[in-house]
Amino acid sequence: MMEDAVELGIAAREEVDDLVHISLDEKSYTKGHQYATILIDSFKDDVVEMVEGRKEKNVKCLFFNLNSQDIQPRLMRVNMC
């Protein structure tokens, strides 16, 4: 159910270029420690992107999935949930 809700939110969003304050959350979604990392816009309280895994490389993928490498957000605050 969580995955369906995230997919709907991601499908509805356009290119993201206004992120300033974000939250990162990791959720276990199956037995055996399978995790997803979720990127949330803290101002709008919206899920922006989700990717499997919780390592540094997975978090980097979140941002590269948003926009091209040339257009990355200029973050002021990152919260870890």
Side-chain angles (χ1 to χ4, degrees):
M1 184 158 59
M2 177 184 75
E3 189 173 314
D4 291 340
V6 172
E7 284 181 17
L8 286 172
I10 291 170
R13 75 161 163 82
E14 297 176 1
E15 187 167 294
V16 178
D17 60 358
D18 60 347
L19 287 177
V20 179
H21 296 210
I22 65 166
S23 296
L24 292 172
D25 196 4
E26 60 183 38
K27 296 288 184 186
S28 174
Y29 59 92
T30 64
K31 291 182 180 180
H33 301 285
Q34 298 292 322
Y35 291 93
T37 301
I38 303 167
L39 173 64
I40 302 162
D41 183 333
S42 297
F43 276 151
K44 298 177 185 173
D45 201 25
D46 289 336
V47 172
V48 178
E49 184 67 77
M50 181 177 84
V51 41
E52 285 189 49
R54 63 180 185 167
K55 298 184 186 274
E56 178 184 357
K57 66 180 181 178
N58 306 114
V59 173
K60 287 179 180 178
C61 284
L62 283 171
F63 294 103
F64 291 115
N65 288 342
L66 291 177
N67 298 317
S68 68
Q69 190 170 355
D70 296 336
I71 306 171
Q72 290 299 308
R74 297 185 183 268
L75 302 175
M76 294 179 69
R77 180 177 298 150
V78 177
N79 300 315
M80 300 296 289
C81 303

